[in-house]
């Protein structure tokens, strides 16, 4: 099974991916971008903000990472294990739509579907946060190129993610990111294994 944990920065998805990897022998934990050695280089290019990338360049680098990640990690492992990825195509489409509202969402979804060899994940967990929680969590950390765009930008991304999930036929779970870690874990475990 292939499951993606989605949500904006600081929502707690990475912590939950670690919990599942530590508590279940059948889980392969990974992330996008950066789940492969080449992906780590692409992640650095995309998030360090050293180069000003055009929209097309940024989009295709994310798609390249997604395709490589699927081919080298997800494709084989999903048959026998549960692959849990910290981010996936939903983030890719939501960020692209937020940055370029004129882009056709269906076209972006089709590009991502192609990168995934037309194999969407079986399940998606979306962590839902709010302005106060985001502001508090962002205060104590160094911001990458995306986080530096601010709280309203991240909440816009979250809204787009929710809209996209309503359009797709992929089972999903929305989790309140303000709950304690163990409560969140229990809800997700029931969704994945139930």
């Amino acid at each position: 099974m292939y499951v993606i944990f989605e949500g904006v920065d600081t929502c707690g998805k990475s912590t939950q991916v670690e919990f599942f990897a530590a508590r279940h022998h059948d889980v392969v934990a990974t992330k996008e971008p950066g789940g492969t050695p080449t992906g780590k280089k692409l992640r650095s290019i995309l998030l360090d903000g050293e180069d000003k990338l055009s929209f097309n360049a940024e989009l295709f680098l994310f798609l390249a990472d997604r395709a490589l990640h699927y081919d080298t990690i997800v494709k084989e492992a999903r048959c026998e294990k549960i692959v849990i990825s910290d981010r996936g195509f939903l983030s890719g489409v939501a960020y692209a739509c937020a940055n370029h509202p004129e882009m056709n969402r269906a076209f972006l979804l089709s590009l991502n579907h192609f990168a995934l060899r037309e194999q969407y994940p079986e399940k998606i967990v979306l962590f839902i946060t709010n302005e106060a929680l985001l502001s508090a969590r962002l205060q104590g950390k160094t911001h990458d190129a995306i986080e530096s765009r601010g709280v309203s930008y991240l909440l816009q991304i979250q809204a787009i993610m929710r809209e996209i999930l309503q359009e797709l036929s992929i089972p999903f779970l929305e989790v309140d990111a303000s709950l304690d870690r163990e409560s969140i874990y229990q809800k997700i475990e029931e969704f994945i294994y139930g």
Side-chain angles (χ1 to χ4, degrees), residues 2-3 8 12 29 45-46 57 72 94 108 113 138 147 164 169 177 185:
Y2 175 31
V3 183
V8 297
I45 292 167
L46 287 160
T72 59
L108 291 170
H113 203 219
L138 283 171
E147 293 166 344
I164 294 168
S169 57
Y185 172 82

Side-chain angles (χ1 to χ4, degrees), residues 17 49 86 106 125 131 133 136 139 147 149-150 154 161 164 166:
V17 170
D86 182 346
V125 177
E131 185 174 356
L133 185 61
Q139 259 182 355
E147 293 166 344
R149 296 175 187 172
L154 293 173
M161 287 181 184
I164 294 168
Q166 297 301 323

Side-chain angles (χ1 to χ4, degrees), residues 66-185:
R66 186 153 298 123
L68 180 64
H69 182 255
Y70 184 82
D71 287 345
T72 59
I73 295 176
V74 178
K75 186 169 66 173
E76 296 299 322
R78 79 187 294 182
C79 298
E80 296 178 5
K81 295 187 176 273
I82 297 176
V83 179
I84 299 180
S85 183
D86 182 346
R87 291 205 188 282
F89 82 95
L90 186 61
S91 292
V93 175
Y95 280 95
C97 287
N99 294 337
H100 296 274
E102 74 283 358
M103 281 298 297
N104 182 298
R105 188 180 294 175
F107 174 67
L108 291 170
L109 282 167
S110 70
L111 287 175
N112 280 271
H113 203 219
F114 175 75
L116 292 168
R117 295 191 179 266
E118 302 185 356
Q119 298 295 317
Y120 278 140
E122 282 85 0
K123 295 183 178 184
I124 297 174
V125 177
L126 179 61
F127 292 73
I128 301 298
T129 189
N130 57 57
E131 185 174 356
L133 185 61
L134 256 178
S135 297
R137 289 184 177 176
L138 283 171
Q139 259 182 355
K141 68 179 295 233
T142 305
H143 300 161
D144 63 27
I146 291 175
E147 293 166 344
S148 63
R149 296 175 187 172
V151 170
S152 350
Y153 174 76
L154 293 173
L155 289 173
Q156 180 188 6
I157 300 297
Q158 177 175 274
I160 295 170
M161 287 181 184
R162 293 176 100 175
E163 288 171 13
I164 294 168
L165 282 175
Q166 297 301 323
E167 297 170 9
L168 299 173
S169 57
I170 302 169
F172 68 93
L173 171 70
E174 287 192 357
V175 176
D176 180 351
S178 68
L179 295 174
D180 67 89
R181 292 174 179 179
E182 194 59 35
S183 297
I184 292 172
Y185 172 82

